[in-house]
Amino acid sequence: MSKWDKLLTRICALSKDLRFDELRKILESYGYVMSAPKGGSSHYTFRKAGCQPITIPKHEPIKKVYVEMVKQIVESEAVNDENAE
């Protein structure tokens, strides 16, 4: 199993030890663009045309609610890939 597959498996299992950089990597691979916070905030916003923006705080470990949001994106992108074939 590749590193990418292991990361996707950890997200789908709602792993509690995910890091911010791992979620960023997943979101950017699906076309989301990260914008840095302004004014000393720790909340990063990810945007993609036609999708709702997602805001994730850069704290370790990442809270389950944010992992669930990324899991929904992974699942919806998998459905979109299946429909495209």
Side-chain angles (χ1 to χ4, degrees), residues 1-30 54 56 62-78:
M1 186 181 282
S2 70
K3 286 183 181 182
W4 179 255
D5 292 333
K6 287 180 184 178
L7 180 56
L8 290 177
T9 301
R10 288 177 55 214
I11 286 176
C12 290
L14 300 175
S15 178
K16 294 181 180 181
D17 64 343
L18 287 165
R19 296 187 324 264
F20 177 83
D21 290 335
E22 293 171 324
L23 295 183
R24 186 196 62 173
K25 182 178 178 181
I26 292 286
L27 290 170
E28 288 178 345
S29 73
Y30 289 124
I54 298 169
I56 300 176
I62 300 292
K63 291 185 179 179
K64 184 178 177 180
V65 66
Y66 301 109
V67 177
E68 288 173 348
M69 291 189 313
V70 174
K71 178 184 175 187
Q72 290 174 352
I73 290 169
V74 168
E75 290 172 345
S76 68
E77 291 290 338

Side-chain angles (χ1 to χ4, degrees), residues 20 34-45 55-58:
F20 177 83
M34 181 177 78
S35 57
K38 296 178 182 157
S41 176
S42 62
H43 288 64
Y44 289 76
T45 302
T55 302
I56 300 176
K58 189 174 184 178

Side-chain angles (χ1 to χ4, degrees), residues 48-61:
K48 180 179 176 180
C51 298
Q52 290 278 30
I54 298 169
T55 302
I56 300 176
K58 189 174 184 178
H59 298 154
E60 306 287 335

